[in-house]
Amino acid sequence: MRNMRGSRMGMGRPWIELYLLLLIAEKPAHGYELSTRLEEFEIPIFSVGQMGNLYRVLSNLEEMGLIASEWDTEEAGPARKTYRITTPGLEYLKNAEIRIGRFRDNINGFLKRIEQLKKA
């Protein structure tokens, strides 16, 4: 499995991979549904190019073994690729919670120091 640090963050937003992993862990979904659900995190997907970037990120996550996909041909219309999280993907997401908590603590310390500067 390739290390997540080696991947490029997609679509100009940090941690897009983590948002996608979380959404897929909550409910397996196809790309268009994921693009709609990303709006919950204020990450809008406006253009065809951005959808292409989204699919590249999903492909990267699949290459890393964090998600798996299968074609859904049961619904009317064209077949859709549905993504689900894997066991390594769930583990990665759980470990990310620790890293994000540390980052949150670091940011809180930074903000406190800015507040101290304002009071000086």
Side-chain angles (χ1 to χ4, degrees):
M1 182 183 331
R2 198 164 43 131
N3 186 328
M4 189 69 136
R5 289 181 192 206
S7 72
R8 287 181 37 195
M9 292 295 174
M11 301 170 9
R13 295 283 188 154
W15 303 338
I16 189 76
E17 290 92 346
L18 293 177
Y19 289 118
L20 288 169
L21 284 174
L22 175 62
L23 293 173
I24 295 167
E26 290 175 341
K27 176 185 169 215
H30 55 82
Y32 180 76
E33 180 182 352
L34 290 167
S35 73
T36 301
R37 291 172 59 205
L38 279 171
E39 291 180 13
E40 298 168 22
F41 298 105
E42 298 183 12
I43 303 173
I45 308 294
F46 293 118
S47 68
V48 171
Q50 288 175 322
M51 281 301 294
N53 286 336
L54 175 72
Y55 285 112
R56 277 188 282 286
V57 173
L58 290 167
S59 177
N60 186 34
L61 291 171
E62 191 166 18
E63 285 176 23
M64 295 168 65
L66 301 178
I67 62 173
S69 67
E70 56 188 34
W71 288 99
D72 179 4
T73 57
E74 294 184 15
E75 291 187 30
R80 296 180 184 179
K81 204 176 210 184
T82 300
Y83 299 92
R84 64 174 174 74
I85 197 154
T86 62
T87 301
L90 281 172
E91 284 301 313
Y92 189 88
L93 197 55
K94 289 174 188 175
N95 290 331
E97 178 183 14
I98 295 166
R99 293 190 315 272
I100 291 170
R102 288 181 188 142
F103 183 68
R104 179 194 59 220
D105 294 345
N106 185 295
I107 292 296
N108 286 337
F110 179 85
L111 293 173
K112 284 179 187 176
R113 289 173 77 163
I114 287 178
E115 283 301 316
Q116 291 171 352
L117 283 174
K118 287 186 198 176
K119 293 176 185 177

